[in-house]
């Protein structure tokens, strides 16, 4: 009964992400580090393919997001997955691997994603809670420039008039940014 209780306790700690290096069940696991995964990926990177995010959890669940200026095919994701998998020893490290490209609704994480979407409609959620939608005009090291169209009522006219405003955001003002999907 005590053995069963201990196993349930340890299993719960791992599932809840509370496992630590002192937990007996984790002592046999060898942790894979993010730098190793990044170096394996960089061997296969080309000029138009870039890394968006790499995450390695405590249970060696590896998640890699890569993107390309021209779009990414499934075959390219498979090639990166094989590059990583063939250079890790499954006998020494038990791991789970997922290599994918960020979807259309996935928020931007790196500058290159902003640059890839220049000229497209994007939605920006700022740290102060406001939302802005417009055409991404520029993206640089300091932030982005967005061209917003708003409908405003002009005094003396019955109909609203479209007003275009250029707004600049620094990256520390942006909570999330993502492409707007339009079926027009």
């Amino acid at each position: 009964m005590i053995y069963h209780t201990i196993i349930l306790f340890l299993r719960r700690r791992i599932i809840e992400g509370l496992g630590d290096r002192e937990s007996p069940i984790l002592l046999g696991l060898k942790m894979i580090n993010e730098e190793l995964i990044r170096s394996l990926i960089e061997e296969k990177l080309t000029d138009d393919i870039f890394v968006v995010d790499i995450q390695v959890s405590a249970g060696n669940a590896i998640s890699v997001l890569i993107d390309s200026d021209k779009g990414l095919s499934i075959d390219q994701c498979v090639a990166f997955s094989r590059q990583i998998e063939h250079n890790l020893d499954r006998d020494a490290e038990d791991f789970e691997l997922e290599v994918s490209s960020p979807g259309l609704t996935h928020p931007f994480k790196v500058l290159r994603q902003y640059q890839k979407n220049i000229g497209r409609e994007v939605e920006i959620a700022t740290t102060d809670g406001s939302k802005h939608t417009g055409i991404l005009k520029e993206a640089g090291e300091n932030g982005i420039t967005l061209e917003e169209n708003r409908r405003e009522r002009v005094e003396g006219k019955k109909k609203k008039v479209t007003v275009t405003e250029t707004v600049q955001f620094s990256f520390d003002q942006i909570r999330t940014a993502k492409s707007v999907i339009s079926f027009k």
Side-chain angles (χ1 to χ4, degrees):
M1 179 69 175
I2 293 174
Y3 175 75
H4 181 63
T5 305
I6 291 172
I7 295 298
L8 287 176
F9 172 75
L10 291 175
R11 186 177 296 153
R12 190 175 316 118
R13 283 182 57 86
I14 291 171
I15 290 170
E16 293 174 356
L18 300 173
D20 51 28
R21 297 199 183 276
E22 286 77 34
S23 296
I25 199 158
L26 293 178
L27 289 178
L29 289 180
K30 180 179 176 188
M31 292 294 296
I32 298 172
N33 64 20
E34 183 182 320
E35 293 80 28
L36 172 63
I37 302 302
R38 186 172 300 279
S39 68
L40 292 173
I41 290 172
E42 287 176 354
E43 291 176 15
K44 281 199 79 65
L45 287 180
T46 60
D47 288 340
D48 71 323
I49 298 176
F50 56 94
V51 176
V52 175
D53 191 28
I54 298 172
Q55 294 180 353
V56 181
S57 74
N60 283 342
I62 305 164
S63 175
V64 177
L65 284 176
I66 53 175
D67 203 354
S68 171
D69 296 327
K70 299 173 184 149
L72 208 59
S73 71
I74 292 173
D75 292 336
Q76 289 171 307
C77 287
V78 168
F80 278 94
S81 178
R82 287 184 179 151
Q83 169 71 13
I84 296 166
E85 193 166 357
H86 292 318
N87 287 292
L88 295 177
D89 183 10
R90 280 231 182 244
D91 294 332
E93 306 124 353
D94 186 27
F95 61 90
E96 177 184 328
L97 176 61
E98 177 186 344
V99 177
S100 63
S101 64
L104 291 174
T105 59
H106 197 277
F108 303 158
K109 289 191 171 202
V110 295
L111 174 61
R112 190 122 172 228
Q113 287 180 294
Y114 287 93
Q115 293 171 338
K116 172 185 173 181
N117 287 286
I118 290 177
R120 294 188 178 139
E121 189 174 16
V122 296
E123 179 182 273
I124 306 294
T126 62
T127 54
D128 66 6
S130 63
K131 287 192 177 186
H132 301 267
T133 303
I135 304 298
L136 183 61
K137 290 297 184 181
E138 293 178 20
E141 294 294 325
N142 298 323
I144 64 166
T145 303
L146 190 69
E147 188 175 272
E148 275 186 298
N149 289 328
R150 287 193 326 268
R151 304 276 296 161
E152 289 184 356
R153 187 169 305 276
V154 177
E155 194 174 318
K157 295 193 177 188
K158 290 183 178 181
K159 293 186 176 183
K160 289 184 177 181
V161 177
T162 301
V163 177
T164 302
E165 181 181 12
T166 302
V167 186
Q168 294 185 339
F169 298 98
S170 63
F171 288 115
D172 61 345
Q173 293 176 303
I174 300 172
R175 188 179 67 219
T176 61
K178 57 185 174 181
S179 293
V180 173
I181 302 169
S182 176
F183 297 103
K184 295 179 184 179

